[in-house]
Amino acid sequence: APALNKVYGLNLRASGPAQLDVVLPARNQPWSVLADLDLRVENLLLDNQKLGVKKALLKVLEVPTFEIKVGVEVDATGLEPRDFALILGGRSRIEAKGRIDFETGFDLLAQGKIDLADIGPLAEKEIRGAGTFDAHVHGPISRVFIDFDLDLKKSAYLGLALGYLKGRITFDE
């Protein structure tokens, strides 16, 4: 159940078409899976809960509805998205590319336009602002960093009207 520990605090409902092409291993040919996904995800909730640990619930991230359109290639060495698009609430669109290597970890780049109202509360606090978004997800699977570069207008968080906000926020798991 080690894998369950990593995703225990993630709840969602996803629906939509998925096409899988599986290449089975043969002489001098490794296995691989090609997947094309066009999913609608509803009620995404990321919380602080851990399997077997009792603590007060903190909803870290709540996203009411979004769509994921992506082709993914998976093999024994890693996972690589192709033509990744994340569409949130009709106002936000993020595109990404890169790779998740099972040995060395994450190296993903994302960019796009975002309206934070499409995301919902962050750590149970309202968040607002609209503008451009860049992110770099990097590091080994055991210690992932996410660098967010934001350029937002009319931003607000924790009851503070921040107005124009530009800068980098780094999430260090």
Side-chain angles (χ1 to χ4, degrees), residues 109-112 114 131-136 146-152 165-170:
L109 299 170
Q111 65 181 17
I114 192 159
T132 60
F133 167 95
D134 290 284
H136 183 204
I146 307 174
D147 299 322
F148 297 98
D149 291 307
L150 303 168
D151 190 353
L152 304 174
L165 180 66
K166 183 174 183 171
R168 173 171 282 186
I169 299 169
T170 298

Side-chain angles (χ1 to χ4, degrees), residues 28-164:
N28 300 323
Q29 181 181 352
W31 67 270
S32 66
V33 177
L34 297 174
D36 285 313
L37 308 173
D38 187 357
L39 301 177
R40 177 179 175 85
V41 179
E42 297 178 348
N43 303 318
L44 171 78
L45 172 62
L46 175 63
D47 61 41
N48 68 334
Q49 300 299 290
K50 303 281 185 201
L51 183 62
V53 177
K54 292 186 184 231
K55 61 174 140 179
L57 175 66
L58 174 66
K59 297 175 182 177
V60 177
L61 182 65
E62 293 180 84
V63 182
T65 305
F66 62 95
E67 296 175 38
I68 298 175
K69 298 176 188 289
V70 64
V72 179
E73 183 173 352
V74 183
D75 62 25
T77 65
L79 178 148
E80 189 168 335
R82 293 177 282 116
D83 301 320
F84 177 93
L86 177 66
I87 301 137
L88 298 117
R91 297 172 293 215
S92 302
R93 181 181 177 95
I94 298 169
E95 296 180 353
K97 61 183 177 183
R99 181 165 172 77
I100 301 171
D101 186 287
F102 296 145
E103 291 287 322
T104 60
F106 289 83
D107 187 16
L108 298 169
L109 299 170
Q111 65 181 17
K113 295 193 181 289
I114 192 159
D115 185 333
L116 297 177
D118 291 335
I119 293 175
L122 180 63
E124 300 183 358
K125 307 293 185 223
E126 183 182 349
I127 188 166
R128 285 183 288 141
T132 60
F133 167 95
D134 290 284
H136 183 204
V137 181
H138 57 99
I141 293 170
S142 62
R143 184 153 187 222
V144 178
F145 293 90
I146 307 174
D147 299 322
F148 297 98
D149 291 307
L150 303 168
D151 190 353
L152 304 174
K153 294 179 181 170
K154 298 181 181 178
S155 64
Y157 188 57
L158 299 173
L160 299 170
L162 301 169
Y164 177 71

